[in-house]
């Protein structure tokens, strides 16, 4: 019973920090409060899975980050339009390219060129990650250890930042 009270006390003690982090993620007060509530409920539901020698604050913040990511992915999936018309009318309507200026399309070309300069061992996992694959899915598809996939994506991202530092 003592550990139960301690868990709840520590969770309550982190509410201010969690709300700040949630606001950074969502940039909206109401969404941040909802995220905080979801995180608190999930932590309480999974209290039995918490191991005492694990960083409590890190564990809670990871729960919040994962909930945010899952909600974001769900929102993106809901916003995807699937054209079910017979002649694919909606797909044939001219779409905005997303490039507000000619410089925007130039930046995309620069990024593509930079990525093409990477070796396959870095380019393939990075492109899969950008396409929305999870680290574990990439590791499975490429038959690599999870840590190797994470480090290759990290180093590819770092190298890309260095190559494109003029675009910041």
């Amino acid at each position: 019973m003592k550990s139960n009270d301690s868990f709840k006390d520590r969770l309550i003690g982190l509410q201010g920090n969690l709300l700040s982090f949630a606001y950074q993620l969502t940039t909206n007060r109401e969404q941040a409060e909802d995220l905080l509530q979801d995180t608190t409920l999930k932590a309480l539901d999974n209290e039995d899975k918490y191991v005492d020698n694990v960083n409590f604050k890190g564990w809670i913040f990871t729960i919040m980050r994962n909930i945010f990511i899952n909600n974001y992915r769900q929102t993106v999936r809901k916003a995807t339009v699937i054209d079910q018309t017979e002649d694919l009318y909606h797909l044939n309507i001219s779409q905005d390219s997303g490039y507000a200026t000619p410089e925007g399309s130039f930046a995309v070309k620069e990024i593509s060129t930079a990525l093409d300069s990477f070796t396959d061992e870095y380019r393939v996992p990075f492109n899969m990650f950008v396409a929305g694959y999870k680290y574990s899915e990439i590791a499975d598809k490429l038959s690599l250890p999870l840590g190797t996939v994470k480090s290759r994506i990290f180093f590819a991202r770092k190298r890309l930042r260095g190559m494109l530092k003029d675009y910041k």
Side-chain angles (χ1 to χ4, degrees):
M1 189 99 158
K2 176 105 171 121
S3 66
N4 188 11
D5 293 337
S6 159
F7 182 89
K8 290 177 183 172
D9 291 341
R10 291 177 8 192
L11 184 59
I12 290 170
L14 285 176
Q15 295 296 298
N17 294 347
L18 287 168
L19 184 59
S20 296
F21 183 57
Y23 187 73
Q24 287 177 349
L25 292 172
T26 62
T27 65
N28 178 301
R29 185 75 176 174
E30 288 180 15
Q31 290 176 354
E33 289 170 354
D34 289 344
L35 182 58
L36 174 64
Q37 184 178 13
D38 291 344
T39 302
T40 303
L41 288 172
K42 185 148 191 153
L44 290 172
D45 287 344
N46 293 293
E47 179 181 352
D48 58 323
K49 295 179 184 173
Y50 175 71
V51 180
D52 281 334
N53 62 353
V54 173
N55 177 1
F56 183 76
K57 187 174 180 180
W59 186 70
I60 297 295
F61 276 74
T62 300
I63 290 173
M64 178 174 279
R65 182 181 52 89
N66 290 342
I67 290 172
F68 173 76
I69 290 169
N70 290 340
N71 290 345
Y72 175 78
R73 286 180 178 159
Q74 185 177 25
T75 303
V76 168
R77 269 194 304 272
K78 286 180 182 176
T80 302
V81 176
I82 299 173
D83 186 6
Q84 296 179 341
T85 59
E86 188 173 314
D87 61 356
L88 301 177
Y89 171 76
H90 291 104
L91 294 179
N92 293 328
I93 296 174
S94 68
Q95 302 289 322
D96 180 22
S97 67
Y99 305 131
T101 63
E103 292 84 18
S105 68
F106 181 70
V108 170
K109 290 177 189 171
E110 289 289 318
I111 293 169
S112 296
T113 303
L115 282 173
D116 289 341
S117 72
F118 291 7
T119 61
D120 283 347
E121 68 181 348
Y122 291 97
R123 185 180 58 247
V124 172
F126 184 79
N127 284 339
M128 289 176 74
F129 180 74
V130 170
Y133 286 92
K134 296 178 183 173
Y135 289 122
S136 58
E137 294 171 331
I138 297 168
D140 290 343
K141 287 194 183 274
L142 299 178
S143 301
L144 293 170
L146 184 63
T148 301
V149 169
K150 287 181 178 181
S151 67
R152 286 183 183 175
I153 292 170
F154 171 80
F155 287 118
R157 186 181 298 134
K158 186 176 178 181
R159 183 175 169 201
L160 193 59
R161 275 192 205 120
M163 293 171 80
L164 302 171
K165 63 184 172 209
D166 296 336
Y167 290 101
K168 287 185 180 177

